[in-house]
């Protein structure tokens, strides 16, 4: 049996709406799944940034710019 910890927190309406939109866009089964996936992505981005990687964004015209992370 997998051990888990229940976490409960309050979100303002705008943040809850963002969470709902992300759940729909990603076809996640639950808000917990959205949160778990967000943690995985954020953790990986931090690992890469700490090891010297940068993240580049390319727009439709082919222009690139660096994505600034807030870590």
């Amino acid at each position: 049996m997998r051990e888990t910890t229940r976490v409960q927190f309050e979100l303002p309406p705008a943040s809850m709406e963002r969470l709902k939109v992300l759940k729909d866009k990603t076809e996640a089964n639950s808000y917990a799944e959205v949160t778990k996936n967000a943690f995985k992505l954020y953790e990986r981005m931090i690992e890469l940034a700490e090891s010297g990687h940068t993240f580049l964004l390319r727009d439709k015209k082919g222009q690139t710019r660096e994505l600034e992370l807030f870590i």
Side-chain angles (χ1 to χ4, degrees):
M1 186 171 155
R2 195 170 84 180
E3 188 177 321
T4 61
T5 301
R6 183 173 181 84
V7 177
Q8 183 174 341
F9 53 94
E10 295 182 22
L11 293 174
S15 295
M16 189 64 210
E17 183 58 32
R18 291 169 64 196
L19 184 59
K20 287 178 185 178
V21 169
L22 285 171
K23 182 177 176 280
D24 292 341
K25 284 185 176 185
T26 61
E27 299 180 359
N29 292 318
S30 65
Y31 296 127
E33 183 179 347
V34 173
T35 305
K36 182 177 72 172
N37 290 338
F39 286 157
K40 287 179 181 179
L41 176 61
Y42 192 44
E43 182 179 45
R44 183 66 177 139
M45 290 180 77
I46 290 170
E47 288 171 357
L48 290 168
E50 287 176 339
S51 66
H53 290 80
T54 58
F55 301 89
L56 301 176
L57 299 174
R58 182 176 297 134
D59 66 19
K60 293 177 183 180
K61 296 179 182 179
Q63 299 288 327
T64 60
R65 67 178 175 91
E66 187 172 339
L67 174 64
E68 297 177 23
L69 299 179
F70 43 88
I71 55 172

